[in-house]
Amino acid sequence: MILKDQVKKLPDSPGIYQFYDKERKLLYVGKSVSIKKRVASYFRSKNLGAKTDLLVSKIATVSHIKVFSEFEALLLEAQLIRTNQPFFNSIAKDDKSPIYIKVTNDQIPLITLERKRNLVAAQFSKGPFPSAKVAREILRMIRRIFPYCHHKNPQKPCLYVHLGLCPFPYRKKESPDPYQETIVKIKKLLSGQIKNLITQLSKEMVSWAKIQNYEQAGVVKKQIEKLQYLTTTYHTPPEFLEQPTLVDDLTRAKLRALESTLGLAIIPRRIECYDISNIQGNLATGSMVVFTNGLPDKGEYRKFKIKFENKPNDYQMIREVIARRAKNDWPVPDLMIIDGGRGQLNAALSQVTKYKQSFSSNKVNTFVVALAKRFDQIYSQNRVLPISLPKESPARLLAQQIRDEAHRFAITYHRLLKSKNLLAQVAK
């Protein structure tokens, strides 16, 4: 197969790519949120620089490994570079001494990058990473979830404090225990204990809600959402290396489980999920996310600015969004998931029935379900009682992943509209 054909068949999904020369010698390992787009850019662009031009001239074949998240791609890339030491990765390294992420043992722990030769055995460290750039990218993602401090200056807050990415523990008069707890969570994340960390945060969120500290419960909830979006279903680099088709294998298993659980006529190739985001009906938005063959298909995502302006009414907003979707010439979904319960399901079904030509293809009609957040029960169009699945059920995990992505997409658009509205008011 010629190189051009190999590039065309690469997936538009997160993962790592590997360039080999004609003798099957590994030249370079890279990562991207879209393997296909990143690899294609090497061959579209000109004057990439002497090093990159030389690399491209030597590429004979391309291989790839898909992963579920950008975080997994970073760790897998680091593992492959560390193990294989490809020439074009090695010459890009900023130092021959391996780089680590270090957590100091100070009264107020700091998180920094450190070379191996400077590490102290008693300190927590994670690595080595192939370069400071890779390590910084990992810390950048972690900092968005758990703001941390990285410098010793108790007198003057840095820029990260003003950006909300550093809690500036030096100014707190009370015990620094909350910051210590944050450090423990970061250590868990760096150690790959993702599931345990999410479980811990979920318990914290419930505890804060029980004592009616809803502001803190909301903070923890956002951490959980960011963590879930960052890692999705976390798998370690060795798992991907032992089973390079892990993403496809697990995704197919989830799709088959969903087909069986819902009693679908076919394995759902195109799944659409809808979510409404609003605060007391103000600046309400709707989202449509699309999963093709069980994976996010972001080019197909759509967002809706709700036109319904009466008092808050989720059902009417869902009817509006589904009706507007029906009037577009988009591919027919095999499965539609609505964020909500029986009422939201019925609202969507009313429009799917009304615009049935937009929701039928090859004698197969779009199947509609709703997924309630409280107990993650599935309300189906052909069942009286909701379906309750165990937490580890592949069907439930896939439905939750899709529903959570629709919620993330809707709330992101809602916040954008709120920001624009606030700026417009200030301008007046």
Side-chain angles (χ1 to χ4, degrees):
M1 185 186 297
I2 62 174
L3 189 57
K4 186 182 292 186
D5 292 333
Q6 291 180 35
V7 174
K8 286 182 180 179
K9 293 184 178 182
L10 291 172
D12 185 16
S13 58
I16 62 95
Y17 54 91
Q18 297 167 289
F19 293 149
Y20 295 86
D21 64 15
K22 60 184 179 181
E23 297 174 351
R24 284 296 295 177
K25 181 179 179 181
L26 183 59
L27 299 170
Y28 183 78
V29 177
K31 56 136 183 41
S32 179
V33 293
S34 171
I35 299 171
K36 185 172 187 173
K37 291 176 182 176
R38 182 68 185 100
V39 173
S41 70
Y42 283 92
F43 302 98
R44 284 198 308 265
S45 305
K46 296 181 179 180
N47 300 320
L48 296 170
K51 178 177 73 71
T52 307
D53 286 341
L54 178 60
L55 166 64
V56 172
S57 70
K58 291 180 175 293
I59 299 172
T61 58
V62 182
S63 69
H64 71 279
I65 299 176
K66 289 198 290 188
V67 298
F68 290 102
S69 69
E70 184 182 3
F71 188 66
E72 289 175 334
L74 270 169
L75 297 183
L76 181 56
E77 178 197 38
Q79 175 75 37
L80 286 168
I81 293 173
R82 185 164 59 242
T83 303
N84 299 289
Q85 292 291 304
F87 175 75
F88 284 91
N89 290 107
S90 299
I91 63 175
K93 287 170 64 174
D94 42 23
D95 194 276
K96 290 184 179 181
S97 177
I99 191 97
Y100 288 74
I101 293 173
K102 180 186 77 173
V103 181
T104 69
N105 290 332
D106 301 325
Q107 183 177 2
I108 294 179
L110 307 178
I111 297 181
T112 62
L113 298 184
E114 195 67 77
R115 295 291 174 188
K116 184 178 181 179
R117 58 175 175 263
N118 299 323
L119 287 178
V120 177
Q123 292 178 327
F124 176 90
S125 62
K126 205 67 184 175
F129 297 97
S131 69
K133 180 182 177 183
V134 171
R136 288 192 191 101
E137 284 188 71
I138 291 174
L139 287 180
R140 175 179 57 83
M141 289 190 289
I142 290 175
R143 193 165 213 159
R144 292 175 182 172
I145 305 173
F146 302 116
Y148 64 81
C149 187
H150 73 279
H151 66 100
K152 286 185 178 181
N153 190 344
Q155 305 300 323
K156 185 177 180 182
C158 68
L159 176 62
Y160 286 103
V161 176
H162 300 294
L163 294 175
L165 298 174
C166 172
F168 196 55
Y170 298 106
R171 69 183 169 195
K172 296 184 181 297
K173 295 180 181 179
E174 67 271 18
S175 168
D177 284 350
Y179 183 65
Q180 295 283 358
E181 291 172 4
T182 296
I183 293 297
V184 171
K185 291 169 185 173
I186 292 174
K187 287 180 179 179
K188 284 187 176 182
L189 180 54
L190 286 169
S191 299
Q193 300 177 42
I194 313 298
K195 293 179 182 178
N196 290 340
L197 181 54
I198 291 177
T199 300
Q200 176 189 339
L201 289 171
S202 298
K203 290 178 180 178
E204 287 183 16
M205 181 178 69
V206 172
S207 297
W208 286 117
K210 281 184 178 178
I211 61 174
Q212 298 184 350
N213 190 334
Y214 299 116
E215 182 179 355
Q216 189 59 37
V219 170
V220 178
K221 182 181 179 182
K222 287 180 182 178
Q223 289 177 337
I224 294 172
E225 289 174 349
K226 289 177 181 178
L227 194 58
Q228 288 173 330
Y229 178 65
L230 176 66
T231 60
T232 314
T233 50
Y234 178 75
H235 295 274
T236 63
E239 289 180 89
F240 289 110
L241 294 176
E242 291 171 11
Q243 190 177 350
T245 58
L246 183 64
V247 170
D248 290 333
D249 294 345
L250 290 178
T251 301
R252 276 194 294 269
K254 290 177 183 178
L255 286 171
R256 291 195 189 100
L258 199 57
E259 175 199 24
S260 175
T261 299
L262 300 178
L264 303 179
I266 59 172
I267 293 177
R269 181 182 178 277
R270 179 182 172 96
I271 302 175
E272 294 180 2
C273 186
Y274 296 83
D275 182 53
I276 303 297
S277 179
N278 72 93
I279 299 177
Q280 298 180 339
N282 295 323
L283 300 173
T285 62
S287 71
M288 178 187 94
V289 302
V290 178
F291 276 52
T292 302
N293 294 325
L295 295 173
D297 193 349
K298 295 189 177 182
E300 295 291 308
Y301 286 17
R302 298 292 183 270
K303 52 193 177 186
F304 304 85
K305 185 176 180 181
I306 303 295
K307 298 177 181 178
F308 179 77
E309 295 180 350
N310 295 338
K311 62 180 181 180
N313 187 324
D314 271 7
Y315 303 153
Q316 182 57 38
M317 292 176 182
I318 288 172
R319 283 191 283 267
E320 177 187 322
V321 168
I322 302 300
R324 287 167 62 183
R325 182 258 180 264
K327 295 174 183 177
N328 289 278
D329 186 24
W330 298 335
V332 175
D334 300 308
L335 175 64
M336 180 185 292
I337 300 175
I338 307 298
D339 178 38
R342 178 67 66 183
Q344 285 81 0
L345 172 63
N346 290 336
L349 274 171
S350 69
Q351 301 307 297
V352 170
T353 302
K354 182 177 180 180
Y355 299 99
K356 58 183 179 181
Q357 289 185 341
S358 298
F359 297 102
S360 62
S361 176
N362 298 324
K363 297 183 180 180
V364 177
N365 298 323
T366 297
F367 196 87
V368 187
V369 300
L371 182 61
K373 282 193 180 77
R374 187 175 181 186
F375 300 112
D376 281 322
Q377 293 176 313
I378 300 176
Y379 292 82
S380 173
Q381 67 178 60
N382 61 355
R383 293 174 184 247
V384 175
L385 297 176
I387 303 169
S388 296
L389 298 172
K391 290 183 178 181
E392 66 275 9
S393 162
R396 175 172 170 171
L397 290 172
L398 180 59
Q400 285 175 326
Q401 179 190 353
I402 298 171
R403 188 272 316 277
D404 292 345
E405 174 67 353
H407 178 68
R408 180 198 67 80
F409 192 55
I411 202 167
T412 298
Y413 183 43
H414 177 67
R415 287 170 179 163
L416 175 64
L417 292 182
K418 280 181 62 180
S419 298
K420 288 183 176 180
N421 186 59
L422 180 62
L423 288 172
Q425 291 178 359
V426 172
K428 290 180 182 180

